[in-house]
Amino acid sequence: MDSFIGIRFKKETAKRFQEFSRTHFKSHTEALETMLEFFFYNEISPHEKLGPTGRTIEASFKKRINAVIAIMRDMEKTQTKPTAAMIASLFQTEAPPKKPLILEKKILREKKDGIPKQEQDGRGEKNFSDNNL
């Protein structure tokens, strides 16, 4: 059986250590050994800061995400919506009535006047083609 030694701690510190070791380890000795191995293995001092904790990292992520959301909302208000509105207005405008082509004018005149096409082409002149001989 291993021998034990008594170490004097402040009462509050001893209670905190006992609660910690009961929740995470089987014995107080195992808890203290694991803590010492952690510091020796990682070659760090208990007085050093290990960097940002999970809470601080989460808070910084939330800040960055909120900033990105704000930027996207601003872009949507100033760029996307006006552009979409302009494009929609371009597609919604009615095209001006197009002018009929020259050929269409002749066909329209025929329909309105009831004049056959041959008479319109010759403008009242006789047609001297081989078919009329």
Side-chain angles (χ1 to χ4, degrees):
M1 186 168 147
D2 292 333
S3 62
F4 291 94
I5 188 170
I7 300 176
R8 297 178 67 181
F9 293 107
K10 290 186 178 180
K11 199 172 195 177
E12 292 176 20
T13 307
K15 284 183 181 180
R16 282 181 56 204
F17 178 74
Q18 287 173 346
E19 289 175 13
F20 176 79
S21 67
R22 283 184 190 134
T23 56
H24 296 287
F25 300 98
K26 294 179 183 177
S27 67
H28 299 313
T29 305
E30 185 181 346
L32 191 56
E33 282 179 2
T34 306
M35 285 183 218
L36 291 172
E37 286 176 13
F38 172 80
F39 287 114
F40 285 126
Y41 178 78
N42 292 307
E43 296 178 359
I44 57 173
S45 167
H47 301 290
E48 290 180 26
K49 296 270 184 185
L50 295 177
T53 62
R55 289 183 207 148
T56 57
I57 291 173
E58 183 181 1
S60 65
F61 279 146
K62 283 183 180 179
K63 286 180 185 176
R64 294 304 333 146
I65 289 172
N66 288 338
V68 169
I69 290 170
I71 291 169
M72 290 177 66
R73 285 183 181 160
D74 182 54
M75 285 176 51
E76 184 177 347
K77 286 180 186 175
T78 58
Q79 296 173 3
T80 308
K81 285 184 180 179
T83 305
M86 286 191 297
I87 291 173
S89 69
L90 288 174
F91 286 117
Q92 288 176 356
T93 58
E94 296 179 15
K98 65 177 189 176
K99 297 178 182 177
L101 298 173
I102 297 172
L103 296 174
E104 291 177 348
K105 285 183 182 178
K106 289 181 182 179
I107 295 170
L108 289 173
R109 282 186 198 153
E110 279 181 21
K111 289 182 181 177
K112 286 181 182 176
D113 300 337
I115 302 171
K117 186 177 180 182
Q118 288 177 351
E119 290 177 14
Q120 234 181 17
D121 287 340
R123 297 187 184 203
E125 296 177 9
K126 293 183 179 179
N127 192 355
F128 296 105
S129 64
D130 291 339
N131 293 340
N132 291 337
L133 292 176

